[in-house]
Amino acid sequence: MTEVSTTDEGEMLAVPVADLRPSLEAVLMVADQPLDSVGLATAVGYPVGEVEAALSALAAEYTEQGRGFELRNVAGGWRYYTCEEYAAVVEGFVLEGQQARLTQAALETLAVVAYKQPVSRARVSAIRGVNVDGVMRTLLTRGLVEEAGQDHETGANLYRTTSYFLERIGVTSLDDLPELAPYLPDMDDFEDELERVASHGTTAEASPTSEATSTGDTVGE
């Protein structure tokens, strides 16, 4: 199967499409939710019928080879799952957490909880600027954070670090955590930056199209 692309000179070139099965495996490997046949067909550039046949063949092949994972079509979508007979191995790996290091995102989230606890997921997300639901589940599973009641105003669940967290970082209490002040920017520099931003905002508000006019760009750019 081929697709057509055009060069700068207008010449039509035939560009081979990647093999179907490896393409499906690559896409499914990075998917965080089940993918239906239509979505997979769009991603790999093959007809839906061929994609469905290839998916069924891959699923049968994995089962025949006795892999530790399998390809299932659940609720209208395809996704990789670990085989049930290896559940104990996977559970031990996840719960102990000794064989896999925390990601940078997990470390940053854990630091926010440690210094702001008790804190809600929404507050942690606001501080980090990204959704932390998945990372918080990882930290809960690892036993590094735990629920600490609910916020009286919002009803949101609050979280705090555990004694296991203290054990892992080698301190006896939260009082032993390093001070954040040395790592924060100098207040004079911070105030200068705020003044610069405020001044820039005032100028832009007074003449919102002046820069675009002087450079010949449109406002939308």
Side-chain angles (χ1 to χ4, degrees), residues 118-119 121 136 140 144-150 156-162:
V119 62
R121 292 192 187 191
M136 286 294 289
L140 284 164
L144 295 169
V145 302
E146 62 186 1
E147 293 189 1
Q150 294 182 321
N157 289 331
L158 299 176
Y159 298 89
R160 65 188 175 197
T161 53
T162 63

Side-chain angles (χ1 to χ4, degrees), residues 108-109 111-113 115-117 119-132:
E108 292 174 2
T109 300
V112 173
V113 175
Y115 282 95
K116 293 292 186 179
Q117 60 185 307
V119 62
S120 67
R121 292 192 187 191
R123 178 59 177 160
V124 177
S125 294
I127 293 173
R128 290 203 57 231
V130 295
N131 185 292
V132 298

Side-chain angles (χ1 to χ4, degrees), residues 81-98:
Y81 295 85
T82 55
C83 292
E84 186 176 353
E85 54 264 42
Y86 302 108
V89 177
V90 175
E91 182 180 4
F93 171 79
V94 172
L95 293 180
E96 292 298 328
Q98 300 298 319

Side-chain angles (χ1 to χ4, degrees), residues 191-211:
E191 290 175 358
D192 290 342
E193 179 66 13
L194 285 178
E195 184 177 349
R196 185 190 67 78
V197 172
S199 176
H200 178 74
T202 302
T203 302
E205 182 178 356
S207 180
T209 61
S210 59
E211 181 178 354

Side-chain angles (χ1 to χ4, degrees), residues 17-31 35-59 62 71 78-80:
V17 174
D19 292 339
L20 176 54
R21 288 194 183 187
S23 296
L24 289 172
E25 290 176 323
V27 173
L28 288 166
M29 188 65 66
V30 299
L35 300 176
D36 60 27
S37 300
V38 175
L40 285 167
T42 301
V44 300
Y46 280 81
V48 175
E50 291 185 32
V51 168
E52 291 178 341
L55 289 168
S56 297
L58 282 173
Y62 296 149
L71 181 59
W78 293 85
R79 188 177 186 182
Y80 285 122

